[in-house]
Amino acid sequence: MPAPISAPVPPGVIGHNRSLVTRNYAVLPPDGMFPSFVPWLHQASVFYQATPKMGAGFAQGRLEAAPGGGTTAPRMDGLEHFLYVLEGTLDVAADDASASLDAGGFAYVPAGASYSLRNPGAALAKAVWISRPYVPAAGIDAPLPRFGTREDTPVTRVDDSGRWRQYLLGNLDMAMDFEMNIMGFDRGTHFHCVETHVMEHGLLMLEGQGLQLLDRDWHELWTGDFAWMGPFVPQQFYCTGWGGAAYLLYKDVNREVT
Ligand code: UGY
Ligand code: MN
């Protein structure tokens, strides 16, 4: 006779997870994600969420650095990088520029720069980390390192529909081949149409929750969830729940497609 089960198994624990990966989009809640460790990071790991292996043209992950953790030495990998601190503090240096970033702080590291990352605090630091090859534009100088904060970035409202956005790395800056925008929705509002466009997205829910259309299906997104949208994936967002919602959005822009 098997021993009786003494404690009930919580629903959803065995064999159930909201993760979904398709040919051209993915929904990845943090549950069940595994860290990757790389030799040039110590006391730090990356929870990769989108990579070229999946079909994405960029890599995005959540960097987690323990106190004192980060790069073992200044690193130069020829890629451009974007970091956005979610929790804790991260010191970022790119060539001769550097900044200590708290939650909401961000950095752009141009391709070819030597960069280093370090958690100087006493708590775990978590940051969005995006890396990709830079696509130069003829006659336009490549961008320099940039640092900023969400707090200091203007909030733009296109109309009175309850939607707003913050362009962290500017808008229509032809030196840049991607944008990082925070898209915000007041309670009960939604994007005005189903978009279909050549640009890709990496989306991280920063606040609130909503329903996200991906291709033909609606998916619930909660704070902390990640979604990858490949080129031409039909997409729309409805803010649900009792408050507003905001997500951090990667978008490749400003280059012709051949
Ligand atoms: O700018 C955008 O493409 C944006 N509106 N997309 C999105 O929020 N899924
Ligand atoms: Mn879009």
Side-chain angles (χ1 to χ4, degrees):
M1 260 302 255
I5 296 171
S6 52
V9 176
V13 168
I14 296 177
H16 294 278
N17 175 302
R18 293 184 297 122
S19 303
L20 173 71
V21 180
T22 76
R23 188 187 62 78
N24 55 1
Y25 70 85
V27 176
L28 295 172
D31 333 35
M33 298 290 286
F34 275 51
S36 294
F37 299 91
V38 287
W40 46 271
L41 280 177
H42 70 111
Q43 310 241 26
S45 58
V46 190
F47 291 77
Y48 283 108
Q49 296 154 317
T51 79
K53 274 187 180 176
M54 179 194 237
F58 64 105
Q60 179 162 349
R62 187 179 68 254
L63 170 75
E64 295 198 356
T71 43
T72 48
R75 180 169 167 78
M76 197 189 289
D77 51 23
L79 300 172
E80 57 181 344
H81 300 272
F82 174 81
L83 291 134
Y84 179 95
V85 176
L86 298 167
E87 285 177 36
T89 307
L90 200 62
D91 289 347
V92 180
D95 286 337
D96 296 335
S98 63
S100 192
L101 306 173
D102 296 322
F106 59 85
Y108 170 76
V109 178
S114 156
Y115 69 94
S116 55
L117 315 169
R118 185 176 165 273
N119 174 1
L124 188 69
K126 297 185 184 180
V128 172
W129 188 0
I130 289 169
S131 311
R132 51 162 287 168
Y134 177 65
V135 180
I140 298 177
D141 289 342
L144 297 171
R146 292 186 197 177
F147 299 96
T149 64
R150 174 179 178 178
E151 211 180 10
D152 293 334
T153 307
V155 173
T156 326
R157 285 186 183 262
V158 270
D159 51 33
D160 60 359
S161 66
R163 294 183 292 116
W164 50 268
R165 71 175 73 191
Q166 290 174 282
Y167 295 105
L168 301 184
L169 297 178
N171 173 230
L172 294 177
D173 175 352
M174 292 299 138
M176 298 295 297
D177 57 3
F178 72 95
E179 281 180 7
M180 291 303 307
N181 303 326
I182 297 180
M183 309 285 302
F185 299 81
D186 294 343
R187 174 182 164 173
T189 57
H190 59 88
F191 198 74
H192 68 285
C193 67
V194 176
E195 302 171 30
T196 311
H197 51 58
V198 68
M199 304 89 172
E200 271 187 271
H201 288 313
L203 179 161
L204 180 76
M205 283 303 293
L206 295 175
E207 290 133 25
Q209 66 182 68
L211 281 172
Q212 176 69 54
L213 178 70
L214 293 167
D215 202 351
R216 286 281 167 253
D217 297 316
W218 288 93
H219 300 270
E220 205 167 358
L221 294 184
W222 301 336
T223 303
D225 287 354
F226 173 83
W228 167 59
M229 297 171 220
F232 298 109
V233 170
Q235 55 198 257
Q236 189 177 19
F237 183 84
Y238 269 77
C239 178
T240 58
W242 301 119
Y247 50 76
L248 177 65
L249 195 70
Y250 162 90
K251 183 175 185 177
D252 55 318
V253 291
N254 303 337
R255 297 293 182 268
E256 78 239 47
V257 181
T258 50

PDB file of all heavy atoms in Angstrom, residues 115-128:
ATOM      1  N   TYR A 115      33.866  47.439 -21.744  1.00  0.00           N
ATOM      2  CA  TYR A 115      32.882  47.704 -20.692  1.00  0.00           C
ATOM      3  C   TYR A 115      33.077  46.772 -19.506  1.00  0.00           C
ATOM      4  O   TYR A 115      33.651  45.691 -19.620  1.00  0.00           O
ATOM      5  CB  TYR A 115      31.451  47.588 -21.239  1.00  0.00           C
ATOM      6  CG  TYR A 115      31.016  46.188 -21.616  1.00  0.00           C
ATOM      7  CD1 TYR A 115      30.321  45.383 -20.709  1.00  0.00           C
ATOM      8  CD2 TYR A 115      31.306  45.665 -22.869  1.00  0.00           C
ATOM      9  CE1 TYR A 115      29.918  44.096 -21.052  1.00  0.00           C
ATOM     10  CE2 TYR A 115      30.904  44.385 -23.217  1.00  0.00           C
ATOM     11  CZ  TYR A 115      30.211  43.601 -22.309  1.00  0.00           C
ATOM     12  OH  TYR A 115      29.833  42.342 -22.647  1.00  0.00           O
ATOM     13  N   SER A 116      32.592  47.236 -18.365  1.00  0.00           N
ATOM     14  CA  SER A 116      32.600  46.378 -17.178  1.00  0.00           C
ATOM     15  C   SER A 116      31.344  46.643 -16.362  1.00  0.00           C
ATOM     16  O   SER A 116      30.734  47.721 -16.434  1.00  0.00           O
ATOM     17  CB  SER A 116      33.861  46.604 -16.348  1.00  0.00           C
ATOM     18  OG  SER A 116      33.975  47.953 -16.025  1.00  0.00           O
ATOM     19  N   LEU A 117      30.942  45.623 -15.608  1.00  0.00           N
ATOM     20  CA  LEU A 117      29.719  45.667 -14.795  1.00  0.00           C
ATOM     21  C   LEU A 117      30.074  45.167 -13.409  1.00  0.00           C
ATOM     22  O   LEU A 117      30.818  44.201 -13.271  1.00  0.00           O
ATOM     23  CB  LEU A 117      28.661  44.700 -15.374  1.00  0.00           C
ATOM     24  CG  LEU A 117      28.445  44.707 -16.881  1.00  0.00           C
ATOM     25  CD1 LEU A 117      27.575  43.526 -17.297  1.00  0.00           C
ATOM     26  CD2 LEU A 117      27.780  46.024 -17.269  1.00  0.00           C
ATOM     27  N   ARG A 118      29.518  45.809 -12.370  1.00  0.00           N
ATOM     28  CA  ARG A 118      29.780  45.334 -11.013  1.00  0.00           C
ATOM     29  C   ARG A 118      28.658  45.757 -10.090  1.00  0.00           C
ATOM     30  O   ARG A 118      28.172  46.892 -10.175  1.00  0.00           O
ATOM     31  CB  ARG A 118      31.112  45.918 -10.516  1.00  0.00           C
ATOM     32  CG  ARG A 118      31.519  45.383  -9.173  1.00  0.00           C
ATOM     33  CD  ARG A 118      32.882  45.875  -8.721  1.00  0.00           C
ATOM     34  NE  ARG A 118      33.014  45.607  -7.282  1.00  0.00           N
ATOM     35  CZ  ARG A 118      32.593  46.426  -6.343  1.00  0.00           C
ATOM     36  NH1 ARG A 118      32.063  47.595  -6.647  1.00  0.00           N
ATOM     37  NH2 ARG A 118      32.720  46.090  -5.077  1.00  0.00           N
ATOM     38  N   ASN A 119      28.252  44.838  -9.235  1.00  0.00           N
ATOM     39  CA  ASN A 119      27.256  45.159  -8.210  1.00  0.00           C
ATOM     40  C   ASN A 119      27.993  45.653  -6.963  1.00  0.00           C
ATOM     41  O   ASN A 119      28.616  44.860  -6.264  1.00  0.00           O
ATOM     42  CB  ASN A 119      26.435  43.900  -7.895  1.00  0.00           C
ATOM     43  CG  ASN A 119      25.474  44.127  -6.734  1.00  0.00           C
ATOM     44  OD1 ASN A 119      25.399  45.223  -6.178  1.00  0.00           O
ATOM     45  ND2 ASN A 119      24.735  43.087  -6.369  1.00  0.00           N
ATOM     46  N   PRO A 120      27.905  46.961  -6.661  1.00  0.00           N
ATOM     47  CA  PRO A 120      28.638  47.499  -5.505  1.00  0.00           C
ATOM     48  C   PRO A 120      27.821  47.418  -4.217  1.00  0.00           C
ATOM     49  O   PRO A 120      28.300  47.785  -3.148  1.00  0.00           O
ATOM     50  CB  PRO A 120      28.830  48.973  -5.884  1.00  0.00           C
ATOM     51  CG  PRO A 120      27.568  49.283  -6.656  1.00  0.00           C
ATOM     52  CD  PRO A 120      27.158  48.015  -7.365  1.00  0.00           C
ATOM     53  N   GLY A 121      26.588  46.940  -4.313  1.00  0.00           N
ATOM     54  CA  GLY A 121      25.680  46.994  -3.163  1.00  0.00           C
ATOM     55  C   GLY A 121      25.741  45.753  -2.303  1.00  0.00           C
ATOM     56  O   GLY A 121      26.575  44.852  -2.509  1.00  0.00           O
ATOM     57  N   ALA A 122      24.830  45.703  -1.331  1.00  0.00           N
ATOM     58  CA  ALA A 122      24.777  44.571  -0.403  1.00  0.00           C
ATOM     59  C   ALA A 122      23.649  43.611  -0.770  1.00  0.00           C
ATOM     60  O   ALA A 122      23.493  42.572  -0.136  1.00  0.00           O
ATOM     61  CB  ALA A 122      24.574  45.098   1.008  1.00  0.00           C
ATOM     62  N   ALA A 123      22.865  43.990  -1.779  1.00  0.00           N
ATOM     63  CA  ALA A 123      21.728  43.144  -2.197  1.00  0.00           C
ATOM     64  C   ALA A 123      21.955  42.670  -3.625  1.00  0.00           C
ATOM     65  O   ALA A 123      22.778  43.223  -4.358  1.00  0.00           O
ATOM     66  CB  ALA A 123      20.436  43.958  -2.121  1.00  0.00           C
ATOM     67  N   LEU A 124      21.202  41.648  -4.026  1.00  0.00           N
ATOM     68  CA  LEU A 124      21.267  41.150  -5.400  1.00  0.00           C
ATOM     69  C   LEU A 124      20.883  42.275  -6.370  1.00  0.00           C
ATOM     70  O   LEU A 124      19.940  43.025  -6.094  1.00  0.00           O
ATOM     71  CB  LEU A 124      20.264  39.987  -5.534  1.00  0.00           C
ATOM     72  CG  LEU A 124      20.286  39.191  -6.832  1.00  0.00           C
ATOM     73  CD1 LEU A 124      21.566  38.368  -6.945  1.00  0.00           C
ATOM     74  CD2 LEU A 124      19.059  38.259  -6.893  1.00  0.00           C
ATOM     75  N   ALA A 125      21.619  42.406  -7.465  1.00  0.00           N
ATOM     76  CA  ALA A 125      21.244  43.375  -8.508  1.00  0.00           C
ATOM     77  C   ALA A 125      20.648  42.610  -9.686  1.00  0.00           C
ATOM     78  O   ALA A 125      21.156  41.553 -10.069  1.00  0.00           O
ATOM     79  CB  ALA A 125      22.470  44.153  -8.969  1.00  0.00           C
ATOM     80  N   LYS A 126      19.548  43.143 -10.220  1.00  0.00           N
ATOM     81  CA  LYS A 126      18.912  42.515 -11.385  1.00  0.00           C
ATOM     82  C   LYS A 126      18.783  43.570 -12.483  1.00  0.00           C
ATOM     83  O   LYS A 126      18.358  44.698 -12.201  1.00  0.00           O
ATOM     84  CB  LYS A 126      17.508  41.998 -11.033  1.00  0.00           C
ATOM     85  CG  LYS A 126      17.516  40.906  -9.988  1.00  0.00           C
ATOM     86  CD  LYS A 126      16.110  40.369  -9.794  1.00  0.00           C
ATOM     87  CE  LYS A 126      16.068  39.343  -8.673  1.00  0.00           C
ATOM     88  NZ  LYS A 126      14.734  38.797  -8.464  1.00  0.00           N
ATOM     89  N   ALA A 127      19.122  43.184 -13.694  1.00  0.00           N
ATOM     90  CA  ALA A 127      19.050  44.142 -14.800  1.00  0.00           C
ATOM     91  C   ALA A 127      18.663  43.452 -16.100  1.00  0.00           C
ATOM     92  O   ALA A 127      19.045  42.307 -16.336  1.00  0.00           O
ATOM     93  CB  ALA A 127      20.401  44.827 -14.982  1.00  0.00           C
ATOM     94  N   VAL A 128      17.912  44.164 -16.918  1.00  0.00           N
ATOM     95  CA  VAL A 128      17.655  43.728 -18.289  1.00  0.00           C
ATOM     96  C   VAL A 128      18.958  43.927 -19.052  1.00  0.00           C
ATOM     97  O   VAL A 128      19.603  44.964 -18.935  1.00  0.00           O
ATOM     98  CB  VAL A 128      16.556  44.608 -18.928  1.00  0.00           C
ATOM     99  CG1 VAL A 128      16.402  44.305 -20.408  1.00  0.00           C
ATOM    100  CG2 VAL A 128      15.246  44.433 -18.181  1.00  0.00           C
TER     101      VAL A 128
END
